[in-house]
Every structure is written in structure tokens, then in C-alpha cells.
Amino acid sequence: MSRPTRPRSSASPRAYVCIFVASALLGACGGGDGESESESDGEQEPAVVEAFDGDALASGNKGLACDAQAVEARVDELLAVMSLEQKAAEMHGLQIAPIDDLYYAGGDEALGIPALKMVDGPRGVRAGTATAFPVAMARGATWDPALERRVGEAMGLETLAKGGNVLLAPCMNVLRHPGWGRAQETYSEDSYHMGAMALGFIHGAQNHVIASAKHYAANSVEDTRFDVDVTIDARTLREVYLPHFRRAVVEGGVGSVMSAYNQVNGLYCDENGPLLTDILKGEWGFRGFVESDWVFGTHSTIDSARAGLDIEMPQGLYFGANLVDAVVNGHVDEDVVDAAARRILRQKLCFGLDAAPDPGPAVVESPEHRALAREVAVKSMVLLKNADAALPLDADSLASVAVVGSLAGVANLGDEGSSAVTPSAAVSPIDGLRAALEGGATQLHELPQDALGEPELATIAGADAAIVVVGLTHEDEGENLPQNDLGGDRDSLQLRPEHEQLILEVAARNPRTIVVIEAGATILVRPWADEVEAVLMAWYPGMEGGHALADLLLGAESPSGKLPVTVPRSADQLPDFDHEGLEITYDRFHGYALLDRDGAEPEYPFGHGLSYTSFAYSDLSVSPARLEGGGELTVELTIENTGARAGAEVVQLYLGAPDAGVERPTRALAGFGRVELAPGERARLRMRVLSEELAYYNVVDEDAGAGGWLVTPGQYDLWVGASARDLRLTGEFEYAE
Ligand code: BGC
């Protein structure tokens, strides 16, 4: 890790910087140290924060550190002695219900082959009690892959402690429309941002267990997920829906990929040869195994096996004896079974599943993991609005605060489908505020309800500030489970009517009304946003969420989360979202790219998030001015904390290709860095863009959707800013072949 050296720091002795830039983690994430301190108060250049090698993020990832030769030799030995039945037995789950919360697949004691033991999922380990982290969308709002690596590492360790060896995460489906019921399980509407965050998770988790990148591919509608056919043209698929999966494979060495339930271009994902064999295993060189999504995710014996599905989960209905028969009868080549068994055995050996260490139960919900859950929650909450510096609340000068709304008194952890995690305890917003205010002079009026009578309204009117905690729960959005009517996709992106009503009632009585929203993705804030002073997006903040919320509301911490999803003015600004039809077309544009194309004004843009301090951007440099093929662009700028308190800024780099000759996004995210600065402190951030990041997918054979990546020579524009619409610095460069 290269650390910044600070010749001069005007006010703060410490800096903490993470930069994540195109295609590889090149940035640093680490506390400032003695080296960065300076005695001098004179005017000097700010320290250059060098992007550092991605090895720090990738360190310990067993998927990247596999001794290929020795492993392949051992796989050869095993395959040589295994019967067709034994090889086929590696290729399916053991039974529909989990055993001790784990789904088993394959394994042969006599041959010394361990079973795969799989467990969900994206916000913690779904086995007994475990640390419940903020949901992935919240973690996406941290824009901090190094922090996400720590989350992956913690979940991987807890998976081991539960006896598991495959963690069914990360979910990395692009949030095409925020109405998707499982929005909370993924990180982003943007492929670049998604790739960066998922990579952090995979590197961390694979220090301990096999991660599973899911759901491959284009799984962004819930209610019809088992059947819907997603039509996508080749460019859109390659440029919008696949690049992050590619990074998980190529840079992350992910050990497994879960195929999605849905169809892509007329083929179910488990039977989708173009996706599984041509792209994933062929072009990207994936060396792990593909398992189907559960129960309804495998559709056939012959077609699935031939297309490249390696494991049917959670049992062997199409595979198992039927697959053996298909081979015996000549419908499936035995090479297909050999290739799948090789992939599975390879990962078992690479990850040392036969001798997995047992970290013991104490790592589960350990003080470190709970502290991490709190840190992540603090860094994930997004301050959307803060008029008249309504926040932070100063406990020393407040006589009373009223806390209102039915979600104020519950620890709202999110979906109760496959991503559900049960912590042994969880902190509600009221719990968190009560703990933070304990012993002080501020009186806390607890009104955890949606309907208020006159006495409660009078209390609210008399309080110095009113905090309204509202939003969604697992009843409003989530995985669509056939056995109940809960969850699924959202028809409306508004709050429930009673919550909107509550906000307006409170705002009419208390001029310092602060709204805290809990949800998995975008909430439309009309008609109430103009009536309140502050709006804080808390997502589903995990088991320590109440403490994190109090940290931010009372100013122990400054907000630094930024939206990983656009909040539009109205749903009309979003793509069509038919979550009942069985056919849907995914266009190239959604989210900020769609609003940019249409010249539409969002309510809160992608990347937006306020702080209690302020930051100035200056002195952009872009070099070289003329980039040659295969080269790398270096972008630097100075970022300064111009406010009176410490804070963190997520600096975003967007690229535009006006000369491309084909339709491209006006601006596409191509790098970002999270910088923590003390008041008055400056840092010089350096981000790099590989020339391949400029490419578009050039379809040369329309029928086959085949083509290649191409960078058009000509001028490219770049912007550096605090959101997709708060662009502070602009630059340009030329690309030459
Ligand atoms: C979900 C997956 C999950 C699996 C196992 C499926 O229904 O789509 O995300 O990993 O169940 O629980």
C-alpha cells in the first residue's frame, strides 16, 4: 500500500483516502499516519495520494491464488478413478430443504471429496443467528469497495463458522428500475459502480469461502422471475448488464456463478449456451462452476448440461440419474460431465474445502462484526436534503425531540426471503436515540405510531425538532415467494399514503421536521419534500442501524453516503417496468443515463449526498492529452474540506464520448474515490482510466450478436464532481489508435 505523504496539512493531522478507479482497484484505503503529519503552516502543495495496486483489495482471495498445476493434476487423478455416476453426483444438490441451514451438493467420502455446503446471502449469513449488515444497496451507497471487502470477509468468516463453504452472494443485478422487489439485495443502477463494489465483496469473502456471483444474467424483475423473457440487443447486454459479472470473473476470480431464473433472448439462463458457455466460460475464461438458482432454475437435462450448467440446485431432478441416462443414451457427451466435474473439483481443491478451518462460534456477531455493521451503516446513509442546517441536532441545546412513525420503534432489517438474516438483537431508531441521549438534558418523546391524536400533535408542536421515521418493510418489497403474498415488485415508488400524511401533519406543526426513510431503493418524495427541513435515506440499515442513525442525527458523525440509484421527480422519468408481463425489453438507457439522454431533471441525482461540511474541487489535470491504444489516462484533482468539521467526500469521474459515432451515454461513471478529510485539509486525488474503458461493443454480425470492443479515435470529455449532476471540473483528451 502506498501512503500519501503530506508535506503540509493546514488543520488536520490525519487523512483517510480510498480511490477506486477504472478496471482495477488502484486506490488506497487506510488511516493517515505519522508520515502524513506536518509541523508547517505554510502554503505547500497538497499531498498526492497515489492510487495503489489492487493487490491490497485482492489479498488472500483463494480464487486468485490457486496453484493451477498441482490442482489440475489432482483433478486428473480423481477423474481417472471416478465412475460416470460419481462424476454426475457432483453435479446436483442433495435435497430441497437445507440441513442445519446449509444446502449440500456433491461430495464423496470414500473418494475424500468434500460436499459443497451453500448458504445465503447478501446481507449476512442466513443460518441461525448471525451479523445482520445493512443491505447491499446501502453498502453500495458507501462507494467504498475496501469497506465492502471487510464486509465480505466478515460474512465469509461467519459462513465458515456455520459449517458452510459457499456463500450465495453477491447479488449483482443492475437495478434497471427501482420497483424491482429485490433492489435492496444489489448495489447499484450502474454497472461500473456495481463491479467495483461486488469485487470488494468477492475478494473479502473468498479469503474464507467460495463466493457466488448471482443472478447471471439480467434478473431485475421479481414477480415474473421464473418465466419472464428479457429481450436485449447485444450492445446493451455487453455494455450494461454484463461488465460487472466479467470483472467478478476476471479480476475477482469468483469461484461460482448462479444462473438466473429468467430467460434472456428466448433461452432460460440455465439453458443459455451463449451466456454460460460462449461468454462466461469462453470469452472470460471462467474456471469455476455454475449452479442453477433454486427449484425452478433448472429446466432440462440435456439442454442445461450442454449449455454449461454445472450444478442443479437444490436437488437432482434433471441431473443425477437422468443425466447419467442421457450420457448412456448418447444425448449428452461424457465430456460435458467431465468438464463440469472438473470445474467443481477444482474449486473444492483451490479453496481447501476438505480441510476448512473452523473459526469457532465466537466470530459470529463478534464485537468486531457488530462494529463493522455500525460503521457501514453510518457510511451508507445519504443526506438528501438539509435546509437551514436542520441537521445535525445539537443535543446540548435541544430541550426536546419527538420521534414519530411506526418504523421508529422497529429494527427494520429488510426482506424476509432468501436474504433474511436473524441477528440475536437489533437496534431500532428509538433505541439508538435513547442510548445516545441518555444522561443528557434532551427529552425524547417516543411516538412510534402512524396515527396521531391531538395530545401527540401538541407534543410535536412543542418539541425543538421532530424526526419522522417512515418507509417500506418486507411487506412492501422483496423476494416474491410463492407461499405468501408479501414482497415482490413495487407498483408505486411513493411512500404508503399514511406515511405521507403523517409527514405532512408533523411538518405542519414543527418547523424542524426531519424525515428518515427506510427502503431498499428509490422513494419518490413528492408531495412532501418541500414541507420538511431534512431528509435522510437510511435504507435497511442492519442490526446496528439505530445507533448509526443517532450518530448521524446528533452529529457524532457526518453523513457521507451517496445515492447508487437516481431519485427521479416522477416515475415517468424511468423506463417502463411491466412486472406482470412475460416479455420485457431492456433498452440501453435507464437511471442517470436515461435522464441525461432525455434532458430530464432528477429530484436527487445519482451520486448525490450531502455532508455537514463542504468540499472544494480544483486543479484538474488530465494526462496524457493524447492517449494511445492500450494506454492509461491519469486524472488528478485537489479536494479540500472547506467546512468546520471532519467529513468524507465521494469524488466521481464521468466520461463522455461525443465523437463515438454511435449512441453512447452523455456521461458514464468511470472512476470514484472516497476521501476523508479534516477541516481545512486538502488531498490530491489521482485516478486512472484504462483505455479499454472507453470502448463500446461493436456488433459486426447482427444475427449472431457477435462483435468486438472498439474505441473510436477522437475527443473524449471528462467531468469530476460530487454527483452525476454536480459536476465541478471538466477536462478532455484525445484518443488515437
Ligand atoms: C434466490 C437466490 C437464493 C436461493 C437460495 C432463490 O430463490 O433467487 O438468490 O440464493 O433461492 O436460497
Side-chain angles (χ1 to χ4, degrees), residues 120 168 182 214-215 225 258 261 293-294 418 479:
D120 281 297
L168 300 173
R182 297 179 76 175
K214 70 185 188 184
H215 312 80
R225 64 176 169 161
M258 184 189 294
Y261 286 123
D293 202 344
W294 264 232
S418 63
E479 193 166 348

Side-chain angles (χ1 to χ4, degrees), residues 75-127:
V75 173
D76 285 341
E77 283 170 16
L78 283 168
L79 289 178
V81 299
M82 287 169 82
S83 66
L84 171 63
E85 286 75 9
Q86 285 172 320
K87 289 181 282 191
E90 287 296 300
M91 293 176 62
H92 64 85
L94 290 197
Q95 59 177 67
I96 192 158
I99 304 163
D100 292 337
D101 296 319
L102 304 173
Y103 290 102
Y104 282 64
D108 188 317
E109 249 179 70
L111 289 170
I113 300 173
L116 295 171
K117 292 182 263 175
M118 308 185 184
V119 65
D120 281 297
R123 71 168 189 260
V125 182
R126 189 186 179 209

Side-chain angles (χ1 to χ4, degrees), residues 218-300:
N219 178 174
S220 320
V221 185
E222 191 54 19
D223 293 347
T224 53
R225 64 176 169 161
F226 299 133
D227 302 298
V228 66
D229 184 11
V230 180
T231 299
I232 310 188
D233 66 71
R235 259 197 82 193
T236 304
L237 181 67
R238 298 298 192 129
E239 293 178 17
V240 181
Y241 291 94
L242 295 189
H244 42 289
F245 278 107
R246 179 180 177 278
R247 292 186 72 180
V249 169
V250 175
E251 292 175 48
V254 74
S256 74
V257 167
M258 184 189 294
S259 58
Y261 286 123
N262 51 282
Q263 306 177 57
V264 171
N265 293 331
L267 291 173
Y268 280 106
C269 286
D270 62 298
E271 298 180 322
N272 203 312
L275 279 179
L276 300 185
T277 298
D278 301 345
I279 298 176
L280 176 67
K281 296 179 179 179
E283 285 180 35
W284 301 346
F286 175 58
R287 291 170 60 77
F289 57 85
V290 178
E291 81 273 9
S292 72
D293 202 344
W294 264 232
V295 187
F296 308 111
T298 305
H299 293 85
S300 58

Side-chain angles (χ1 to χ4, degrees), residues 347-363:
Q347 295 304 319
K348 289 181 174 181
L349 290 165
C350 282
F351 282 84
L353 301 193
D354 54 337
D358 177 3
V363 302

